[in-house]
Amino acid sequence: GDSVTQMEGPVTLSEEAFLTINCTYTATGYPSLFWYVQYPGEGLQLLLKATKADDKGSNKGFEATYRKETTSFHLEKGSVQVSDSAVYFCALRVFSNSGGYQKVTFGIGTKLQVIP
Amino acid sequence: NAGVTQTPKFQVLKTGQSMTLQCAQDMNHEYMSWYRQDPGMGLRLIHYSVGAGITDQGEVPNGYNVSRSTTEDFPLRLLSAAPSQTSVYFCASSTDISAYNSPLHFGNGTRLTVT
């Protein structure tokens, strides 16, 4: 089946540090890949996405590149801020040639704490 | 634009009680789903719907019922609450199921405690 692997954390960084959150996946078909962010007390919201190999998704200074050869979609940011403290979820959605439902599979989420 | 609205935000139930978690979206999305979020387990799919009148089970459907009588609403019913159902519940929707690259839109969640 489909699965997403990411570390749970917490990841603790000082402000302005470089961030990498690793995400690897297995998929039965050809997936679209997503990063979602969850701020305290809120639901998840889309951070960025990539729909085909070598695509780079970017938003708010975060980036992730769809690497089909390594089945990875690592999240990076050059300089984190305290306001980036949140839980980050990697997710995939597989295209089905037969149509029908394409389930979204989530990783367990990585908690990021940024300290001043 | 309200997006996905969940009610209530918090709920405490006694074991054996029943209740309905409400979810409504105003984006005319065909696809709606319910997830539960538990520490160390991420998000697990409970039930989903690809359109009015159509529902199906996800990974962890036992103890929950759903119905989809309109495009907008997708309530989740707990038939007889158990402590194992203590969790945070999220409703999420997206555009049609063939748009596999369309993201999910989430509500702000319902925190349920069963004592």
Side-chain angles (χ1 to χ4, degrees):
Chain A
D2 303 329
S3 66
V4 175
T5 301
Q6 60 178 123
M7 63 180 294
E8 187 171 8
V11 173
T12 303
L13 295 174
S14 297
E15 206 164 22
E16 299 184 0
F18 184 86
L19 168 71
T20 299
I21 300 177
N22 289 340
C23 170
T24 57
Y25 67 88
T26 59
T28 53
Y30 195 96
S32 289
L33 302 173
F34 305 85
W35 276 101
Y36 288 84
V37 58
Q38 182 182 30
Y39 298 104
E42 298 183 8
L44 283 70
Q45 55 187 274
L46 179 69
L47 180 60
L48 53 84
K49 69 177 184 181
T51 58
K52 61 183 187 293
D54 300 324
D55 267 3
K56 177 184 283 188
S58 61
N59 186 24
K60 299 181 181 179
F62 291 89
E63 293 183 340
T65 301
Y66 188 139
R67 301 287 188 200
K68 187 178 179 184
E69 64 275 12
T70 55
T71 61
S72 65
F73 192 54
H74 304 323
L75 183 69
E76 297 181 336
K77 187 175 185 183
S79 176
V80 295
Q81 305 300 312
V82 172
S83 56
D84 293 326
S85 297
V87 181
Y88 293 82
F89 291 87
C90 186
L92 66 83
R93 193 172 198 180
V94 176
F95 175 74
S96 171
N97 284 322
S98 61
Y101 166 60
Q102 295 97 31
K103 190 181 82 166
V104 180
T105 300
F106 288 88
I108 63 171
T110 300
K111 185 173 184 178
L112 171 66
Q113 298 174 331
V114 181
I115 54 177
Chain B
N1 189 352
V4 179
T5 302
Q6 289 184 239
T7 56
K9 292 186 188 300
F10 302 94
Q11 183 70 50
V12 178
L13 291 178
K14 294 188 187 316
T15 298
Q17 287 184 317
S18 62
M19 78 159 295
T20 299
L21 280 62
Q22 301 292 344
C23 175
Q25 54 90 11
D26 61 0
M27 298 172 283
N28 202 33
H29 283 171
E30 291 187 17
Y31 176 77
M32 296 186 74
S33 56
W34 278 101
Y35 288 86
R36 57 179 291 174
Q37 183 180 26
D38 301 292
M41 306 195 72
L43 288 155
R44 292 181 292 170
L45 182 66
I46 304 171
H47 285 287
Y48 65 95
S49 168
V50 299
I54 306 169
T55 63
D56 207 344
Q57 296 180 351
E59 304 170 63
V60 288
N62 292 339
Y64 307 95
N65 273 359
V66 292
S67 59
R68 184 96 179 268
S69 56
T70 67
T71 300
E72 295 79 18
D73 299 301
F74 191 45
L76 179 72
R77 297 183 190 83
L78 281 69
L79 307 174
S80 177
S84 60
Q85 294 178 304
T86 293
S87 187
V88 181
Y89 291 85
F90 288 100
C91 180
S93 69
S94 73
T95 53
D96 68 272
I97 58 170
S98 63
Y100 69 100
N101 58 358
S102 64
L104 290 172
H105 297 257
F106 283 82
N108 282 335
T110 295
R111 184 175 294 275
L112 175 68
T113 302
V114 183
T115 61

